[in-house]
Amino acid sequence: MNLKELYQEIILDHGKNPRNLRKTDNFNKDAKGYNPLCGDKVHVYLKLNENKKVEDISFEGSGCAISMASASIMTDLVRGKEEIEVKEIVSDFLDMIKEKNELSNKILKDDEKTKLMCLSGVKKYPMRVKCATLSWHTLTSALENSQITINTEN
Ligand code: ZN
């Protein structure tokens, strides 16, 4: 199996069986996102504890395999991290998906980075980049408690 096939396999797996597709009990931060071009919808729920650590993160939503896989992988990788680390992971991911060739954060382990790199294939397709980044922008909005619904077209 080559790298491209491995990446596709992981995306298909997460797209078909999204992890953390539920609503967190007693969440204290949340935000919604919408990608009208594709119809992807996501609602991210976060529970930060008193040490600003992500005790739980989950999402509800529907959409294409890329948007679901991205939200699934994101929620898996962010759980247990501190808020400041989450922000670094988010900005590193967004840089990678837009311009850089690799991830540069020192927070994620190599196998975790591989899961994120699975999404790098969308780079060539601007429409798909919106699918892949929707849940990440929504997570940022949730952390900032901005109450703004993310719309990829605004
Ligand atoms: Zn989509």
Side-chain angles (χ1 to χ4, degrees):
M1 193 186 284
N2 64 31
L3 194 60
K4 200 177 159 199
E5 285 168 341
L6 172 70
Y7 281 3
Q8 281 170 350
E9 188 105 329
I10 294 175
I11 287 183
L12 276 177
D13 175 37
H14 279 267
K16 273 189 200 152
N17 307 298
R19 320 297 196 266
N20 314 306
L21 184 61
R22 56 182 168 78
K23 187 173 177 179
T24 294
D25 292 332
N26 305 317
F27 65 89
N28 45 25
K29 289 176 185 286
D30 74 308
K32 290 181 187 171
Y34 178 46
N35 172 15
L37 287 181
C38 183
D40 308 318
K41 282 182 190 160
V42 67
H43 191 160
V44 173
Y45 303 95
L46 265 174
K47 188 177 178 190
L48 290 187
N49 67 17
E50 60 274 21
N51 302 318
K52 298 222 162 198
K53 214 176 205 183
V54 179
E55 201 171 296
D56 193 28
I57 177 168
S58 64
F59 73 103
E60 291 181 319
S62 58
C64 67
I66 298 284
S67 68
M68 290 293 104
S70 187
S72 172
I73 293 169
M74 176 187 84
T75 49
D76 253 0
L77 297 188
V78 157
R79 178 173 298 102
K81 306 288 192 297
E82 287 171 31
E83 185 178 20
I84 191 163
E85 295 175 321
V86 174
K87 286 181 176 168
E88 192 179 330
I89 294 167
V90 170
S91 77
D92 194 24
F93 172 76
L94 293 176
D95 284 348
M96 182 278 285
I97 213 87
K98 285 170 193 160
E99 55 208 35
K100 287 192 308 181
N101 289 321
E102 51 194 46
L103 296 161
S104 58
N105 78 78
K106 303 218 180 338
I107 300 159
L108 296 175
K109 299 184 207 99
D110 283 347
D111 62 318
E112 294 177 318
K113 285 184 179 173
T114 301
K115 283 187 193 158
L116 277 189
M117 289 306 291
C118 294
L119 296 158
S120 63
V122 304
K123 269 183 211 224
K124 290 168 267 173
Y125 312 97
M127 297 267 289
R128 305 264 89 177
V129 168
K130 292 179 180 180
C131 301
T133 57
L134 176 66
S135 55
W136 297 77
H137 290 304
T138 306
L139 170 58
T140 300
S141 178
L143 284 173
E144 290 169 353
N145 262 339
S146 60
Q147 302 298 318
I148 295 168
T149 297
I150 294 298
N151 185 316
T152 54
E153 295 313 292
N154 290 344

